[in-house]
Amino acid sequence: MPTLGNAMKLSLDDYSIISLIQDDARMSISKVAKLTNMPESTARHKLNRLVDSGVISFVALSDPIKLGYKTWVALMLEIDVSQLKAAAEKIASFKEVYFVAVTNGNYQLQVSAVFRSNDEYVRFMTDDLAKIGGLKSINTYNYLSVIKRSMAMIPPEEFIEDDQ
């Protein structure tokens, strides 16, 4: 499972590239180079290093509502800790699930999923989740309206170094 640690120091050039790519992931490397005032080969090398190190990745972020998913939910699951890893991996394998995180507090897993109908959601709860070992309780939140949905993150200042 991915963790939250292992932050990488970024240069001001890295920060500029990340900012541009977050605004337009389809921007050409030549345009990135022009907007950052660096040679195209340097911009390409820096972008490849950011991708290879896992700082950024390229994905298509689709809109579940526009794809016909009517039910969009967040689930907070209480899981027996001795079965947490296996439960998280099994839940992550379900096609409806797009986010799984281990949490602390009253619940051990946060899960986000989408369904085409309430019937599909009920089937998921009664057929799939019901078979998860160690599952103690489920607290469900339906998303009624999404105000902001973004994966763009600004690196904290302490991780940005001057290029000079």
Side-chain angles (χ1 to χ4, degrees):
M1 281 184 242
T3 63
L4 296 176
N6 306 324
M8 180 176 139
K9 287 282 188 185
L10 301 172
S11 70
L12 291 173
D13 286 342
D14 293 333
Y15 176 79
S16 297
I17 291 169
I18 291 168
S19 296
L20 289 169
I21 296 297
Q22 284 183 153
D23 288 341
D24 180 4
R26 298 186 320 169
M27 183 180 294
S28 70
I29 196 66
S30 60
K31 187 170 182 181
V32 169
K34 181 178 179 182
L35 293 171
T36 57
N37 294 317
M38 66 179 79
E40 188 172 326
S41 61
T42 301
R44 179 176 285 103
H45 171 76
K46 287 181 174 286
L47 178 59
N48 287 338
R49 184 178 56 79
L50 291 167
V51 171
D52 292 345
S53 66
V55 170
I56 63 173
S57 59
F58 293 91
V59 298
L61 186 61
S62 58
D63 184 332
I65 303 301
K66 291 180 180 173
L67 293 175
Y69 294 98
K70 309 287 187 231
T71 306
W72 196 352
V73 300
L75 306 153
M76 300 303 293
L77 307 179
E78 185 181 3
I79 306 280
D80 183 311
V81 177
S82 67
Q83 297 183 53
L84 182 58
K85 184 175 181 180
E89 289 172 354
K90 180 64 178 170
I91 292 167
S93 74
F94 296 133
K95 67 179 177 19
E96 302 88 350
V97 172
Y98 65 89
F99 179 83
V100 177
V102 175
T103 61
N104 61 359
N106 294 334
Y107 301 97
Q108 289 68 49
L109 288 179
Q110 178 179 345
V111 175
S112 294
V114 292
F115 306 92
R116 294 192 184 275
S117 67
N118 284 336
D119 289 340
E120 195 175 280
Y121 179 40
V122 169
R123 187 220 40 87
F124 174 77
M125 297 281 284
T126 57
D127 292 349
D128 296 334
L129 282 186
K131 295 175 186 167
I132 298 297
L135 179 62
K136 295 178 181 179
S137 71
I138 304 170
N139 198 348
T140 304
Y141 302 92
N142 283 49
Y143 295 123
L144 302 176
S145 175
V146 177
I147 308 306
K148 179 180 180 180
R149 182 168 169 256
S150 171
M151 291 305 295
M153 308 291 164
I154 306 236
E157 288 183 24
E158 61 267 22
F159 293 104
I160 301 172
E161 298 176 333
D162 193 352
D163 291 318
Q164 278 59 341

